[in-house]
């Protein structure tokens, strides 16, 4: 069995089951299920179906219509047999997660969705018996309960679990699941996915669709029911290649017509059809099947004279009121809960391993149970990562190790902000993968590739986050006020971060403000590094010209840190919002999402120059009223000026490539170590708006007046030579503090846009520690705001 891939077993299972609800070979399938469960060799009676599946996998691509027709005639079991494919998951995830305003509810909503996606849905397939699903193995009893007490109930889907095995799952990460199943059960499995999300969350949106396909379609994409002269194949593709629809569907850059056709006619085409059906059903449209519509999402009535929950969305059913005589009763603030919000708060407490104050939920008398053993704690997974990597995370600030049991999770944003150099500030990080769709379309050809790709991406995303947190953070002792809120007489050590979610290729974190950019940079670098370590399939054999991509140039370190030839074809773009701890989380999330879109746009533009690496966009927001609309408008109207002859001046330089971001951090650190006068830094920033020449003159005046010659040399080396050299190598002029962008043509005239990193440096300055500073040294929030 070790030599047989799970996708081969999945196809063989569906072949043995047949197209009807009752299996064709029940005894064979029963023996096979027991063998898979026990990890034994597959039974002899099942081997013919395995050989058929392997035969399907070894078929060559038919280059002519005649060859395709011969396949249908030669392999009737591949042409006449059908297999089911189901795709589904949660939709409008951010609407559900960020509906609440408080971190414990947001944490709980995210953890509940993760539990359903990573444990509940795989439990349908008995994945607790498979070594690839470690989270299900840790919650074996819970997985059995999902099937026995929910899925197999007479009013749910009593026959479904008998038709499913773990090998049928292609992937179940990132909030979605894609899986094979016997053709007769596609509607039941899709309905079970949607019903599970609705019954567990009450208010989250979900969608699932399924379709039946011929086995040959797994190899060669969508095919008609009858193959004849009118079938669209390679010869007709050549004849109609210039048709706009055909060109848009098949053609790709840097690919021959034959390769483009073969890359489209793969398993990807089946997944594309399911994605189309998914969008139709999600939008409330009816499909050609007997399933009920989902155009009416769950609704909970409200009343103007009834008390509502904390989110003001639904009628409250109880108040978690504290009792002075019993500290374990209620919750701080005496919050009101509806049943949906009560579930979020309870799961949030379990995810933080807070078992001290859950009596409030028991008092409700509700039947719903969260499944404590199945709730995922990202901090616990982070601690497990530390154990496997033997990293000295716990001994960074003391000679003796701090035992992991002494370090707790941060329970609110204020505790995370307490770990920042600038007290009262946190950062929201939102990262997402680049080039994923293009890679899937070009490189993923079969279900096995899909499965490996999904696992590689999830593994790289998770480990890159843990590596970044381990490298830049350390356990932190909270201040006396926060310690009093915890009602603790001893010093409290915390992990100074919050992982809201790690799903597929996206990440959402809350970290101390001063470490945010370094963490974002490391996540992007580690993500690419881990994928490259998995094999050549992720390597892009294409070099790029760094002078066209990066605006930062440091001759001393460029050769060591900048690799322009060995690129990873996949990367991460990241949005980082550094803001006050009392900024509403839902508002911070919206702005961070805008920054992520800006960073992804920058990555897409740089791809034209051959750069496939990551990008980061960030913003320092020192008050909620700083931005009244969106970030693009704020930058266009407030940070973009026009000088002489409508010369465009951008008072910011974000987004940055990962290499540029490293340069920005180095430059800010050099300024901090040199103890440049802050008043002069702010004065030059204020003079940027007066025009290019005025800013240049004032900057030169500022630099030559520095008393310290070393400081002058440092500024020249770390700022002017690294950032502000003219694009033309024959030009020996000095543009500091400006950088020139590529020429932009406006009619017949050529316009040059100038931008500067000075404003970003000034914003970053308070959040940078001096090299000889004690980590516990902090500035007050008020001092930073005044600056």
């Amino acid at each position: 069995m070790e030599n047989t891939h799970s996708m081969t077993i999945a196809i063989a299972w569906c072949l043995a089951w047949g197209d009807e609800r009752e299996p064709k070979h029940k005894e064979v399938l029963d023996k096979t299920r027991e063998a898979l469960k026990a990890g034994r060799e597959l039974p002899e009676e099942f081997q013919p179906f395995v050989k058929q599946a392997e035969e399907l996998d070894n078929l060559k691509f038919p280059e002519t219509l005649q060859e395709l027709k011969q396949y249908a005639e030669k392999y009737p079991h591949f042409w006449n047999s059908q297999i089911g494919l189901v795709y589904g998951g949660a939709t409008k995830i951010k609407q559900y997660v960020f509906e609440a305003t408080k971190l414990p509810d947001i944490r709980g909503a995210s953890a509940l969705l993760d539990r359903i996606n990573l444990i509940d849905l795989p439990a349908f397939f008995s994945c607790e018996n498979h070594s690839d699903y470690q989270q299900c193995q840790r919650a074996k009893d819970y997985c059995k309960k999902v099937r026995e007490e929910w899925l197999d109930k007479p009013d749910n889907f009593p026959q479904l679990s008998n038709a499913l095995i773990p090998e049928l799952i292609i992937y179940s990460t990132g909030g979605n699941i894609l899986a094979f199943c016997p053709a007769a059960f596609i509607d039941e499995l899709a309905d079970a996915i949607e019903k599970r999300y609705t019954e567990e969350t009450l208010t989250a949106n979900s969608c699932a669709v399924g379709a039946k396909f011929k086995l040959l379609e797994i190899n060669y994409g969508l095919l008609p029911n009858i193959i004849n002269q009118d079938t669209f194949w390679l010869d007709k593709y050549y004849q109609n290649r210039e048709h706009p629809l055909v060109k848009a569907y098949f053609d790709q850059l840097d690919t021959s017509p034959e390769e483009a056709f073969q890359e489209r006619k793969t398993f990807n085409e089946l997944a594309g059809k399911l994605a189309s059906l998914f969008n139709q059903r999600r939008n409330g449209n009816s499909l050609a099947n007997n399933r009920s519509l989902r155009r009416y999402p769950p609704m909970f009535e409200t009343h103007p004279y009834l008390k509502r929950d904390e989110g003001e969305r639904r009628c409250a059913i109880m108040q978690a009121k504290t009792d002075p005589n019993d500290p374990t009763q209620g919750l701080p603030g005496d919050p009101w809960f509806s049943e949906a919000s009560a579930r979020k708060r309870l799961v949030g407490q379990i995810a933080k391993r807070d078992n001290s104050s859950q009596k409030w939920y028991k008092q409700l008398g509700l039947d719903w149970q969260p499944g404590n053993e199945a709730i995922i704690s990202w901090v616990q997974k982070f601690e497990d990562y530390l154990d496997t990597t033997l990293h000295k995370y716990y001994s960074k600030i003391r000679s003796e190790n701090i035992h992991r049991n002494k370090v707790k999770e941060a329970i609110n944003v204020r505790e995370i902000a307490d770990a920042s150099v600038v007290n009262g500030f946190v950062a929201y990080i939102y990262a997402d993968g680049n080039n994923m769709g293009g890679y899937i379309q070009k490189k993923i050809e079969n279900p096995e590739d899909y499965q490996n790709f999904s696992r590689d991406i999830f593994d790289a995303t998770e480990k890159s986050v843990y590596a970044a947190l381990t490298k830049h953070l350390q356990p932190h002792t909270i201040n006396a006020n926060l310690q009093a809120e915890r009602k603790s007489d001893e010093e409290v050590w915390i992990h100074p971060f919050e992982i809201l979610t790690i799903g597929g290729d996206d990440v959402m974190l809350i970290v101390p403000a001063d470490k945010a950019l370094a963490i974002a940079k490391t996540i992007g670098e580690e993500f690419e590094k881990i994928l490259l370590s998995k094999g050549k399939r992720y390597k892009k054999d294409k070099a790029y010209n760094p002078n066209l991509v990066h605006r930062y140039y440091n001759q001393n370190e460029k050769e060591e840190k900048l690799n322009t030839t060995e690129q990873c074809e996949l990367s991460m773009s990241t949005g980082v919002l550094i803001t006050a701890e009392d900024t509403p989380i839902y508002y911070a999330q919206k702005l961070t999402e805008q920054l992520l879109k800006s960073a992804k746009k920058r990555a897409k533009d740089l791809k034209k120059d051959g750069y496939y690496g990551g990008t980061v966009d960030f913003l320092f927001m020192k008050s909620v009223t700083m931005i009244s609309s969106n970030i693009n408008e704020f930058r266009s109207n407030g940070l973009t000026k026009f000088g002489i002859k409508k010369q465009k001046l951008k008072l910011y330089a974000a987004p940055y490539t990962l290499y540029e971001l490293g340069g920005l951090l180095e430059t800010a650190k050099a300024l901090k170590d040199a103890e440049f006068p802050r008043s002069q830094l702010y004065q030059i920033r204020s003079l940027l708006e007066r025009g290019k020449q005025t800013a240049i003159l004032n900057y030169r005046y500022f630099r030559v007046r520095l008393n310290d010659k070393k400081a002058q040399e440092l500024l020249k080396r770390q700022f002017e030579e690294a950032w502000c050299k003219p694009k033309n190598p024959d030009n020996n002029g000095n543009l500091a503090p400006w950088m020139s962008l590529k020429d932009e043509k406006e009619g017949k005239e050529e316009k040059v846009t100038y931008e500067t990193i000075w404003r970003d440096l000034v914003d970053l300055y308070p959040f940078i520690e001096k090299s000889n500073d004690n980590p516990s040294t902090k500035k007050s929030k008020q001092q930073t705001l005044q600056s």
Side-chain angles (χ1 to χ4, degrees), residues 613-727:
T615 53
V616 177
D617 196 359
F618 62 87
L619 181 73
F620 293 85
M621 188 175 72
K622 295 179 180 177
S623 68
V624 177
T625 57
M626 179 175 160
I627 297 175
S628 59
S629 54
N630 60 58
I631 292 174
N632 282 337
E633 286 188 20
F634 169 71
R635 286 173 169 172
S636 298
N637 299 331
L639 300 180
T640 304
K641 306 296 178 183
F642 290 91
I644 301 172
K645 296 182 180 179
K646 294 185 178 181
Q647 197 172 57
K648 190 175 181 180
L649 304 175
K650 291 171 60 179
L651 308 186
Y652 65 96
Y656 294 86
T657 64
L658 298 180
Y659 179 70
E660 289 173 343
L661 183 60
L664 181 71
L665 293 172
E666 288 294 326
T667 302
K669 189 172 179 296
L671 289 175
K672 193 79 170 187
D673 289 344
E675 298 183 346
F676 281 100
R678 293 183 67 177
S679 59
Q680 293 293 332
L681 294 174
Y682 292 121
Q683 183 180 356
I684 291 177
R685 182 182 67 175
S686 64
L687 292 171
L688 291 173
E689 299 183 9
R690 299 190 181 182
K692 177 187 164 190
Q693 285 78 10
T694 304
I696 291 176
L697 287 173
N698 278 276
Y699 169 79
R700 299 293 293 173
Y701 178 71
F702 158 70
R703 184 166 79 80
V704 298
R705 284 197 63 197
L706 288 172
N707 295 325
D708 190 347
K709 296 295 183 183
K710 288 185 178 179
Q712 286 195 35
E713 183 59 31
L714 183 144
L715 190 61
K716 180 180 179 182
R717 184 178 67 254
Q718 294 285 353
F719 178 62
E720 295 176 21
E721 294 180 354
W723 291 96
C724 303
K725 282 189 172 183
K727 295 295 181 186

Side-chain angles (χ1 to χ4, degrees), residues 748-763:
K748 294 183 179 181
E749 297 183 7
E750 286 190 349
K751 297 286 184 181
V752 179
T753 298
Y754 294 91
E755 60 184 357
T756 178
I757 68 165
W758 196 264
R759 187 182 186 89
D760 295 336
L761 281 175
V762 173
D763 287 339

Side-chain angles (χ1 to χ4, degrees), residues 13 391 470 538:
W13 176 272
H391 197 282
T470 302
Y538 296 112

